[in-house]
Amino acid sequence: MGREFAVIGLGRFGGSICRELSKEGMHVLAIDLAEDKVNEFKNIASHAVIADTTDEKVLKELGIRNFDHVIVAIGDNIQSSILTTLMLKELGISKITVKAQNDYHEKVLNKIGADHVVHPERDMGKRIAHSMISNNILDHLELSDEYSIAEVKAGRKMSGKTLIDLDIRANYGCNVVAIKQAKDINVSPMPDEVIDHDDVLIVIGADKDISRFEKHLVVDED
């Protein structure tokens, strides 16, 4: 049996989470105050209900304690987001993920016990900005405030060279954890691995180190 999720707030972020979880065969309870949003997800989620999640009695009636993971994706109403998170914590929900509107909101959510706080707009902005720097920067995933994973395409400066030749760890403080070549992926590549033009490198490291690596080796000058 699939895990059970509740998604509170069916805007763009919450709606997307709800669709993907449902597609993967998970049991999903979709919750929103707006009737039109709930109606939209009636045939997508396992159940879709109109409810005020700042009311503890309502949460209990929904059987929220039975869910493995609750995602709070309430839009612009920070107060409702905080109150809902607080109620869920008091009801003993094992995992709570909350969408934050800003850094202040995130601080409050962390203080009241949210397990995972996400900034979808901010994080997407960072990823798009990195991809704008060069066509060779394919993706950028933040692991923490200081560390990330980058997916980069080998450009002219790396083509035909081995990992020993480039010595990325010593020169830039980053680690190449995998190399994708066409449909194959080489996890933990050997130091004498030759990099071909258009190979994709998965690199992990501190943001400042990845930035130096991208500027010196990834971005091809026209």
Side-chain angles (χ1 to χ4, degrees):
M1 188 179 167
R3 292 172 62 203
E4 299 203 339
F5 294 83
V7 179
I8 301 170
L10 300 173
R12 273 185 302 181
F13 176 68
S16 175
I17 295 280
C18 188
R19 281 190 182 89
E20 290 305 312
L21 288 172
S22 299
K23 205 184 288 181
E24 293 298 321
M26 301 296 134
H27 181 280
V28 183
L29 171 64
I31 307 167
D32 202 286
L33 272 174
E35 187 179 356
D36 58 332
K37 292 270 176 68
V38 171
N39 287 337
E40 187 185 335
F41 284 87
K42 272 189 173 161
N43 296 321
I44 297 168
S46 312
H47 302 285
V49 296
I50 302 166
D52 178 4
T53 55
T54 62
D55 187 329
E56 188 176 359
K57 187 183 171 190
V58 169
L59 287 173
K60 285 178 178 175
E61 286 171 356
L62 289 171
I64 207 77
R65 285 194 183 106
N66 299 323
F67 289 85
D68 304 302
H69 192 158
V70 180
I71 298 97
V72 181
I74 294 169
D76 297 329
N77 193 329
I78 289 177
Q79 185 174 318
S80 291
S81 167
I82 292 168
L83 281 173
T84 296
T85 305
L86 201 53
M87 296 287 180
L88 293 170
K89 200 69 191 170
E90 287 179 355
L91 288 169
I93 304 303
S94 57
K95 187 156 190 191
I96 305 165
T97 295
V98 192
K99 174 189 172 183
Q101 298 298 323
N102 51 47
D103 292 340
Y104 165 75
H105 188 194
E106 180 180 14
K107 280 181 186 175
V108 175
L109 292 169
N110 284 326
K111 279 193 182 296
I112 62 176
D115 298 291
H116 187 209
V117 179
V118 294
H119 284 263
E121 288 88 357
R122 182 193 69 182
D123 295 345
M124 183 54 72
K126 282 187 178 181
R127 291 170 80 173
I128 291 169
H130 276 267
S131 67
M132 285 176 173
I133 293 167
S134 166
N135 289 334
N136 287 346
I137 300 171
L138 305 177
D139 205 354
H140 195 272
L141 181 66
E142 195 175 82
L143 298 175
S144 71
D145 288 342
E146 295 180 5
Y147 289 85
S148 298
I149 291 179
E151 190 176 70
V152 301
K153 190 164 69 173
R156 292 191 295 269
K157 296 172 190 171
M158 286 189 270
S159 183
K161 294 180 180 173
T162 66
L163 291 175
I164 293 175
D165 296 332
L166 297 168
D167 210 356
I168 293 166
R169 185 187 295 179
N171 291 326
Y172 304 102
C174 308
N175 287 299
V176 177
V177 295
I179 299 175
K180 289 200 279 189
Q181 297 163 317
K183 291 182 180 178
D184 298 322
I185 182 157
N186 180 357
V187 179
S188 299
M190 299 299 287
D192 58 357
E193 183 77 33
V194 177
I195 297 167
D196 294 325
H197 191 67
D198 287 347
D199 280 358
V200 174
L201 280 67
I202 313 296
V203 182
I204 187 168
D207 291 342
K208 58 181 177 57
D209 294 331
I210 289 178
S211 181
R212 279 193 310 124
F213 163 68
E214 289 174 346
K215 283 174 187 169
H216 289 96
L217 282 184
V218 179
V219 179
D220 284 333
E221 280 117 13
D222 296 328

